[in-house]
Amino acid sequence: MIGPLLPLVLVVVLALPVVLSPISRRANLLVSRLAVPIFGDYVGRSPRRSWQLERLRATHVGTTHRVFASRTLLISGLAGVCGAILGVYVATWLVDLFSISRDSILSVVPPALSFLAGLTRLQDLTLLGLFVLFLFFGATVGTALALGTYWTRWAYLDQLANARASEIEATLPRTIAFIYALSRSGMPFPKVLDTLARNEDIYGEAAREVGVAVRDMDTFSTDILTAVERTAERTPSEGLSEFADNLASVLGSGRNLSSFLRDQYERYQEEAEAQQEQYLELVSTLAEVYVTVLVAGPLFFITVLVVIGLVIEDTIAIVRFVGYIGVPLASTGFVVYIDSLTQHETALTDVSRDVGDVLDTPDDGAAARSDGGVDVGGYASDDTWRRNAERLAAYDRLRALRSWANEPLRSVLEHPWISFVVTVPLGAAWVLYRAVPIPLGPSALQTLDLPVIEATIFVMAVFAVLHEVHKRRVRSIERSVPDFLSRLASVNEAGMSVVESLQRVADTDLGGLEAEVERTRRDVRWGADVSAAFRRFATRTRVRMVAQAVTLITNAMSASGDVAPVLRIAADEAQETRRLRRERQQEMLTYILVIYISVFVFLGIIAALTVAFIPAVQEAGGVGAAPANAPGTGVTSAFTGTDVNTSAYELLFFHISAVQAVCSGLIAGQLAEGGVADGVKHAAGLLVLTYLAFAFVLL
């Protein structure tokens, strides 16, 4: 009994280190230590090395080409061995499958598949024939799995590079505005790049890309011109590559850097508007595609199947497949596709750690980032560094838990998904309360549907309310940021210091920022450093736009007392961001309306089928509807004389409408506001409408 399973045990043993390597340091180290000695020399001479190095640099994988390429070959080889073993099992299964007689196969398969009867000769193969069969399947499956694994590993790098390119392109206008603003403050340009690199958590992948150039300058004493040129060659973003090329030409020719940055800043502001127009056109197309393919298409298909099922032949199994599997899977794929095409940004990011950690970093830039291999004193300390990093990570996790425990309401508002910890158990309890005792068999579906939908509405509604409250708070703060920065710049231009400007501006009406600005003014009055007060201001608000403004202000103050130009640029940038977002929201209302109308039409046609068509067929058949848990009985078709379960169709209509309502709501949020979380409120509203329509009108 154990003997046939030994090859499978070998497959598990071979695959286990690879499977555990993403989560286990020891397993990851074991794979690397096996791969490098075996394949290290070969990958170093590989003709594809230059292309592979380019991909690795573009993705910032965090490992060398020798290690990654060697691991890829080792993992592919192990996949090939495992595939070969599994191929033998496949061959054994085929031999066992066709160990029946030829006549038996011919009696059950259609004439078009009669060729399958020839496979019964597998049972008559000699030992040599069986060996050849097993060898063929083993070699085929093993080779396919090995080549597929090898291709997947390198294709994954392409996906990472494309994702990084999209993120860089999305943050590039803000990044250039940051560089331009700090350069106006009088800060040396290398220092500007260093400051940007230290604010990676705020400015994303663009800052990370610049951070590599800063590391080259600090660690390897690379001159700024060479570092910028390497950035242009390395980055996967065409926009950043073009900017870096132009910047390198300016630095090399000695042209006016401030004028160049101003031109680039204005250019990218215009491009941001053009990109939004392209985005809106794309969203318009996607909304039309969704309504046509995933609303009208399933509706037409279901209607045809229902007509066929009630008049000619029962098709409820196909309708169930479309409603329970087809529509959810297609909608999920559509959401993933939209997310891969659209570059959305959210202002709901918790940036408290961004502002607290990044802005507290010393400005002198003397402390180089450790690579984990050598400490400050030059002694090997990899293990010590790693243990300390693990302790700090554990402390950060505990700090988050303590924060949630100390301020539960604020934590839930800032992270609405925490509500699932409470609402999901309550929803499950409600289902049990409404449905107990739960019947066995097909009738359980009819018994559980209303409680499950009620619990789903409750869970989504709570999340939607919390999400919307937090979102409205963020939007209120963002509306006030441009005015706050503009007023601060105006007062500073009049000759007042930053502290005096803050004191003066705090007395004005600042909308959502008024309370926080007043707290910042009190901090300064009580002796706090103005930079520290601004950092606490950003930490309290936890809004990305505020964090970006604070980063600019604090770094400009360290470079010069004249921060008015920086404040003016920050105000213009915030105002432009607000304008583009407002225009986008106005345009998106049309697409939300289109999706809502499509759902209403869907419900209308379903209602017509339920209220008019099914009763007409029942009347024509002369038999009343059967219970939904009695398949094969119901109305007798007037055309074929077969029994059709009309009640099961009606129940299925309810479930399909509920699924369509949830999917349409989530996609509406994805299209209109850039995230599935924004669609929960739409999904909850449409689900309530569907529930009421079927509970009080149709059923």
Side-chain angles (χ1 to χ4, degrees), residues 569-587:
I569 294 171
D572 293 341
E573 172 69 15
Q575 186 64 42
E576 183 67 13
T577 301
R578 282 279 307 142
R579 184 184 67 82
L580 292 176
R581 183 175 295 163
R582 185 169 58 251
E583 291 179 357
R584 173 179 168 179
Q585 290 175 346
Q586 292 172 352
E587 291 287 338

Side-chain angles (χ1 to χ4, degrees), residues 419-439:
S419 63
F420 293 147
V421 178
V422 178
T423 57
V424 171
L426 289 177
W430 175 255
V431 172
L432 293 176
Y433 173 76
R434 288 283 308 276
V436 171
I438 301 175

Side-chain angles (χ1 to χ4, degrees), residues 38-107:
I38 300 174
F39 301 105
D41 293 337
Y42 169 76
V43 298
R45 299 188 302 268
S46 174
R48 296 172 57 86
R49 184 173 182 272
S50 58
W51 175 86
Q52 294 170 353
L53 275 173
E54 180 182 347
R55 292 293 85 188
L56 286 170
R57 293 192 186 106
T59 55
H60 287 191
V61 171
T63 186
T64 64
H65 169 264
R66 186 166 181 257
V67 172
F68 187 89
S70 299
R71 287 172 58 92
T72 299
L73 290 177
L74 178 64
I75 294 173
S76 301
L78 293 177
V81 174
C82 295
I85 296 174
L86 295 176
V88 174
Y89 279 94
V90 172
T92 304
W93 175 76
L94 285 177
V95 172
D96 184 68
L97 177 66
F98 292 99
S99 62
I100 57 180
S101 66
R102 176 184 178 89
D103 294 335
S104 299
I105 295 179
L106 291 174
S107 64

Side-chain angles (χ1 to χ4, degrees), residues 405-471:
N406 294 333
E407 299 178 296
L409 181 59
R410 179 176 178 177
S411 299
V412 172
L413 288 175
E414 293 178 351
H415 306 280
W417 58 266
I418 298 177
S419 63
F420 293 147
V421 178
V422 178
T423 57
V424 171
L426 289 177
W430 175 255
V431 172
L432 293 176
Y433 173 76
R434 288 283 308 276
V436 171
I438 301 175
L440 300 177
S443 61
L445 189 62
Q446 186 179 18
T447 305
L448 292 173
D449 57 358
L450 289 180
V452 168
I453 290 178
E454 291 165 358
T456 303
I457 291 173
F458 168 71
V459 172
M460 291 195 302
V462 173
F463 175 86
V465 169
L466 295 174
H467 182 75
E468 192 66 20
V469 169
H470 179 54
K471 189 174 179 179

Side-chain angles (χ1 to χ4, degrees), residues 447-505:
T447 305
L448 292 173
D449 57 358
L450 289 180
V452 168
I453 290 178
E454 291 165 358
T456 303
I457 291 173
F458 168 71
V459 172
M460 291 195 302
V462 173
F463 175 86
V465 169
L466 295 174
H467 182 75
E468 192 66 20
V469 169
H470 179 54
K471 189 174 179 179
R472 288 179 180 272
R473 170 187 169 272
V474 172
R475 294 292 184 260
S476 174
I477 293 175
E478 289 182 338
R479 283 194 298 268
S480 304
V481 170
D483 287 339
F484 168 67
L485 295 175
S486 182
R487 294 176 189 179
L488 202 62
S490 298
V491 178
N492 187 255
E493 287 171 345
M496 293 186 178
S497 65
V498 176
V499 175
E500 294 171 337
S501 301
L502 179 64
Q503 301 284 359
R504 180 65 62 86
V505 171

Side-chain angles (χ1 to χ4, degrees), residues 582-612:
R582 185 169 58 251
E583 291 179 357
R584 173 179 168 179
Q585 290 175 346
Q586 292 172 352
E587 291 287 338
M588 292 299 110
L589 290 176
T590 303
Y591 309 129
I592 293 178
L593 184 61
V594 168
I595 292 178
Y596 268 75
I597 292 175
S598 68
V599 175
F600 293 156
V601 172
F602 189 97
L603 284 176
I605 295 180
I606 292 296
L609 292 173
T610 305
V611 176

Side-chain angles (χ1 to χ4, degrees), residues 124-160:
D124 300 326
L125 289 176
T126 62
L127 182 62
L128 179 61
L130 287 175
F131 176 78
V132 173
L133 178 67
F134 291 158
L135 182 63
F136 172 77
F137 273 92
T140 302
V141 176
T143 302
L145 198 57
L147 293 178
T149 302
Y150 182 85
W151 178 86
T152 301
R153 288 269 296 178
W154 292 111
Y156 177 65
L157 288 185
D158 284 334
Q159 294 298 322
L160 287 180

